[in-house]
Amino acid sequence: MTPRTDSAAALSSTATVADAPRSELLQSVVDVARAIFGAEASSVFLLDEEADELVFQAVSGQGEEFLVGRRFPAGRGIAGWVATSGEPMVVDDLSADPSFDRSLAESTAYVPNALMAAPLISDGRILGVLEVLDPSPQARSGVRELDLLAMFARQAAAALRVITPERVREAEERTVLAGHTLAGPQREDALRLLGSLERLLRGVG
């Protein structure tokens, strides 16, 4: 069964106080994923359900200067398949894979030869997709590595939900009478989740 997707409001219309922590978190996700899997690039797409689109929210490596904020239909390409199915995927030769949307890749100015992708799932909801493009041959050689990417994506999704708008609003309600805005605990909790998984992956990778 395909996990339920979050509403666009929960991800796209983020309160201002959440923007910086979320951006920092997602950039950390793609930077760490790219390093762990020896990839040429890594990206996170978040799902905008109302528009039925995937949105580049963070990019490391090729395309990081201009891809953030770009949208494409949620049903296109391998990222679209992963977002729809809720299953991770690894492709060693994209030229032979019918799910690969070459025209979409060409529009990003980088056409990979191989990729790994995993859904960002938390509490049964698909938040988006994590991709690593042209990972090292060793990183894409088996099920174990794909399982590690899926584990990392789940941890990243859990961290992301720590700083979703609902959590931000709850924190604002608790602190408004004190006259200050959201402090650092939500961001620290999120980054701590990522840090613990990064240490795990580096220890067994």
Side-chain angles (χ1 to χ4, degrees):
M1 180 180 295
T2 301
R4 292 174 295 117
T5 55
D6 264 338
S7 67
L11 293 172
S12 302
S13 303
T14 308
T16 300
V17 292
D19 288 344
R22 188 178 70 167
S23 295
E24 179 183 351
L25 169 67
L26 294 177
Q27 192 60 47
S28 175
V29 168
V30 292
D31 287 342
V32 171
R34 181 185 175 203
I36 288 173
F37 295 97
E40 291 296 319
S42 179
S43 55
V44 161
F45 311 94
L46 293 186
L47 181 64
D48 181 339
E49 188 180 53
E50 281 189 3
D52 195 28
E53 292 175 330
L54 287 169
V55 186
F56 279 97
Q57 291 289 348
V59 179
S60 180
Q62 297 281 348
E64 61 184 303
E65 302 88 357
F66 60 89
L67 285 177
V68 173
R70 181 168 180 174
R71 295 168 171 263
F72 62 92
R76 290 185 64 181
I78 289 175
W81 184 89
V82 170
T84 300
S85 68
E87 297 293 332
M89 186 175 188
V90 58
V91 183
D92 285 321
D93 182 6
L94 288 169
S95 66
D97 192 284
S99 300
F100 181 55
D101 190 328
R102 179 166 291 272
S103 64
L104 179 60
E106 289 173 347
S107 73
T108 70
Y110 179 63
V111 180
N113 297 309
L115 67 74
M116 302 167 67
L120 298 172
I121 301 177
S122 179
D123 296 332
R125 296 173 177 244
I126 294 180
L127 307 182
V129 177
L130 169 63
E131 277 192 350
V132 289
L133 308 181
D134 288 326
S136 68
Q138 296 83 358
R140 54 179 124 127
S141 60
V143 173
R144 176 175 173 273
E145 285 72 22
L146 188 60
D147 286 344
L148 290 177
L149 180 66
M151 185 192 306
F152 183 62
R154 286 194 299 272
Q155 194 84 343
L160 179 61
R161 286 189 64 82
V162 171
I163 52 175
T164 54
E166 290 85 352
R167 296 296 184 91
V168 171
R169 283 194 292 271
E170 290 170 5
E172 286 179 320
E173 290 172 1
R174 289 195 301 270
T175 60
V176 66
L177 294 179
H180 58 276
T181 57
L182 182 67
Q186 278 75 20
R187 178 176 60 185
E188 293 304 318
D189 287 346
L191 294 178
R192 191 176 301 113
L193 284 170
L194 283 180
S196 65
L197 187 60
E198 179 185 0
R199 289 191 295 274
L200 172 64
L201 290 174
R202 291 192 185 281
V204 300

